[in-house]
Amino acid sequence: VIMEITQKLTKFATLDYEEYLRFVGQYTSFERAEVQRVFREFDEDSSGSLDTEEIEGVMRSFSITPFKATVEAAIAVVDEDHTGTVEFHEFVHLLTVYKKTEGFSQAEVKDLYAVFYKFAVPVSDSKLREVPESEMRNALMNLFGPQTLSVGVKLVNEVLVKIQKKKEEKAAKRALSRQQGGPEQGMKFREFLVWARCLREAEITAYRRKFDKVDYTKSGLLMQDNLKEALHHIGYTALRPEVEDLLERRKVSKDDMIDFECFVNLVQDFCRTDGFSRRDVDEFFEVFSAFDKEGSGEVGVLEVASMLRWLGFSIELDVANSYFQSVNLDGADRMGFAEFLRLMRLHRDDCLGHMQEVFDRNCEQELVLKQDCLKQVLTQMDRRVSVNVISQCLQGVRDARYIDFDDFVQVTDNMRRHILNQMRKQAGFTDDEVRTFQQAFDKYDTDGNRKLTRDEMPPLLADLKIDLRTVDDQRHFVRPSLSMVLNGWFVT
């Protein structure tokens, strides 16, 4: 249409100002007539307005899956008179909104821009930014979590093929018009939104296949018990507590069946938290904020290793760095909370794999552990387990006599938290080490007043094989270390 109008205006390859104004007028008239044609096409009952079902047809023509929530959100944006239907002038508004947002909500556009900005660079002589061609794959892959990367790789490859095809078409058009190619252009945010929409629709198609795979009755409805299996097909090891938390935060009642739209909403919510419950996410964010001492919203690999240890996980720096590099697709030396959450997902799955191996080695044929062998099994996970800890670790378990894998994970998590609390309380020393300190302390606390003088400290430290050679060593050791370990015993 553009070529047709310009050819009528001039035989040259450029337009002067007057010709440009006439072009704008003619194209605006064409566009309005086209919008009216589309409006009449979808106004099936010729009422002069579009209802919900008719708006669904419009969205399908935009290649947007017309979920109920999406349709309601679209109507809410443009329905000025609150009739629940869309009249022609409101329809024009709707088209304008969707041209700019590709059907994403305001919150989604904000999240997408954060991903775009992370990989984009400034364009010379402009305030705009664009993602260089070399970073397009990483930018698009960043839209997926670590568990859905296998799906993401396939979808991103399909999109990159389309992008390359578009570039070749542009190059061919330039060659026909004998224009100079100029420098290679990157992807601006508007184009990034277009391809993000393509990815979203491809992702929904993939979700449909997973949904149909566990829809054993072919009714278009899933029982909640099938949700774990569906999430497993997508790439997540979904445990009962996380699924229950997901259903609760999406306000799905226990007896509700799950249709495809509800399923997509559940999966997208689950992916946003990388499969963690609200409790876990809150805990991770609290720790992240504590170690982000500068308040920059980012941490480095050293902080990540320290954070994992603070959460009770024994990890070496090189392992922490491996996780760090796996999720930091832009190659930066620092990461934000979103990347840290993805890192925790990778670490969690490694832990779950180890737990599964231990569980499988020790479970009965019914795939359950009996309580009387629980201490032996937990000792394989952590040698610091004691009998008096086990009863506390069983809190929240449905049936302590027969423990399935989901319960076993919960018991193991409870054990980690209990040991972690004890270790923090005891300044990182084990129960056996604290007992050794207690015995040594009692030996020199001859009057039983739970206090030691400075003269009594050197032989005590000698018994503990702690060699403090200088006065500075003694001063730095006494207050911050022993006072914490002895937990209430003071040195005078």
Side-chain angles (χ1 to χ4, degrees), residues 416-434:
R416 174 180 59 82
R417 289 190 175 98
H418 177 84
I419 293 174
L420 178 60
N421 288 335
Q422 285 296 106
M423 293 289 284
R424 288 177 181 172
K425 186 177 179 181
Q426 297 167 182
F429 292 105
T430 65
D431 289 343
D432 289 340
E433 288 172 326
V434 170

Side-chain angles (χ1 to χ4, degrees), residues 170-222:
K170 288 182 180 179
K173 288 180 180 178
R174 283 198 299 267
L176 287 174
S177 60
R178 297 179 179 178
Q179 293 179 359
Q180 295 297 322
E184 189 69 42
Q185 290 188 337
M187 182 190 294
K188 294 182 173 61
F189 183 61
R190 181 70 187 85
E191 190 177 1
F192 183 74
L193 275 183
V194 172
W195 295 117
R197 169 51 59 186
C198 291
L199 282 175
R200 171 65 60 84
E201 293 304 316
E203 192 175 35
I204 290 174
T205 300
Y207 289 161
R208 168 60 77 176
R209 290 195 293 269
K210 308 303 182 184
F211 181 90
D212 292 342
K213 194 170 186 177
V214 297
D215 179 16
Y216 298 112
T217 62
K218 305 304 177 187
S219 63
L221 296 171
L222 297 184

Side-chain angles (χ1 to χ4, degrees), residues 50-105:
L50 303 181
D51 59 22
T52 301
E53 291 184 1
E54 291 166 337
I55 290 293
E56 288 180 3
V58 174
M59 289 188 171
R60 287 192 189 94
S61 72
F62 294 163
S63 299
I64 296 174
T65 303
F67 289 139
K68 180 181 178 182
T70 310
V71 174
E72 291 175 350
I75 293 177
V77 168
V78 301
D79 186 17
E80 298 172 358
D81 50 7
H82 306 291
T83 60
T85 59
V86 176
E87 298 173 2
F88 178 71
H89 71 283
E90 295 169 334
F91 182 65
V92 173
H93 186 192
L94 176 69
L95 292 182
T96 303
V97 170
Y98 271 80
K99 280 182 179 179
K100 290 184 177 181
T101 66
E102 290 297 322
F104 290 110
S105 68

Side-chain angles (χ1 to χ4, degrees), residues 30 33 74 80 107 113 145 150 156 176 178 197 213 232 270 284 340 357 376-377 389 403 428:
F30 163 80
E80 298 172 358
Y113 186 75
S150 58
V156 168
L176 287 174
R178 297 179 179 178
R197 169 51 59 186
K213 194 170 186 177
H232 175 74
F270 201 72
F284 296 154
F340 177 68
E357 292 176 4
Q376 175 187 351
V377 177
V389 171
I403 300 170

